[in-house]
Amino acid sequence: MIHHYHVHSEDEETFSLDFEIQADATFAQLQDMLIETLHFDPASIGMFYLCDDRWQEIGQVASRDFFESDRGTQYDIDRTRLEELMDETGARLRYLYDAFEDRYLSLQLVKIHSGSLPTPRIISIEGKRPRQISPDEFVGGLDSVIPSGDTTSGLMDEAFDDDLFNADELSSDSFSILDEE
C-alpha cells in the first residue's frame, strides 16, 4: 500500500508539499524523507504528534530519549510503521522540525492506494520552504556571545561595574552565616 500525504506550514503560507511513501515505512523513514527534501539539519531533534480532526495532539512518535510525558500515547519512531497509526484517509500529524522556535509542519493523509514504491516520491513542492533556526541564530550568534581568550575579564568587569556595585554599602547586619558542625 502507498500513502499520499499533503504537507503545509503555518510559518510559510505559500509552502505545500505532496508526496507518496510506502505505508509500511517507519516514522523514522518519513522523518528522513522530510529532512532530505526540505534540507533540514539531521542532527536536530524532530518528532511527530498524532492529531485528531481538529489538529489537537493525541499521541507522540519520537525517539525514546525524547518522549514528553504529557503528550498522550507514545510510539517509538524507529519501530512504528505509518500504517499502524495512519490507517485511514484524513489522518493527521504534526512534525516538530524546529525545536528552537517551536515550529511544525502539518501532514494529512489524503489518499491510500495499492502498489509499492522503492523510495518515497515527491509529487509536488511549491512556495518558500520552511527553514530551521540554527543554534547560532537562536542565541544571537555564538561569536557575539562567546568571547575570545583575553576578553573574559572584560565581561566580568562589565557585569560588576564599579558604578553598580559598592562593597561599602553592604552591611553585615543583613547577612547571617550559619556555623556547620
Side-chain angles (χ1 to χ4, degrees), residues 162-177:
D162 289 338
D163 294 337
L164 298 175
F165 175 77
N166 186 346
D168 296 336
E169 294 176 354
L170 293 177
S171 166
S172 61
D173 297 337
S174 63
F175 292 98
S176 64
I177 299 175

Side-chain angles (χ1 to χ4, degrees), residues 51-106:
C51 298
D52 64 15
D53 61 352
R54 293 182 314 247
W55 294 100
Q56 300 298 311
E57 295 171 6
I58 56 174
Q60 179 184 16
V61 183
S63 169
R64 292 192 183 278
D65 298 337
F66 299 108
F67 281 149
E68 299 169 356
S69 61
D70 62 342
R71 298 290 187 150
T73 308
Q74 299 171 337
Y75 303 92
D76 185 282
I77 196 168
D78 293 314
R79 293 191 176 115
T80 308
R81 302 202 175 278
L82 297 172
E83 64 192 357
E84 294 173 36
L85 303 178
M86 307 294 287
D87 59 351
E88 61 185 51
T89 301
R92 298 171 186 212
L93 288 171
R94 292 179 74 205
Y95 175 64
L96 175 65
Y97 68 93
D98 188 342
F100 288 111
E101 291 290 321
D102 200 31
R103 298 189 312 171
Y104 298 83
L105 294 176
S106 299

Side-chain angles (χ1 to χ4, degrees), residues 17-79:
L17 167 66
D18 280 88
F19 67 90
E20 292 182 333
I21 189 170
Q22 276 296 128
D24 65 354
T26 64
F27 278 85
Q29 291 169 311
L30 172 58
Q31 177 176 260
D32 291 344
M33 189 276 309
L34 291 170
I35 287 170
E36 183 178 321
T37 301
L38 300 174
H39 310 291
F40 291 158
D41 179 1
S44 293
I45 299 168
M47 57 190 69
F48 293 94
Y49 296 99
L50 303 168
C51 298
D52 64 15
D53 61 352
R54 293 182 314 247
W55 294 100
Q56 300 298 311
E57 295 171 6
I58 56 174
Q60 179 184 16
V61 183
S63 169
R64 292 192 183 278
D65 298 337
F66 299 108
F67 281 149
E68 299 169 356
S69 61
D70 62 342
R71 298 290 187 150
T73 308
Q74 299 171 337
Y75 303 92
D76 185 282
I77 196 168
D78 293 314
R79 293 191 176 115

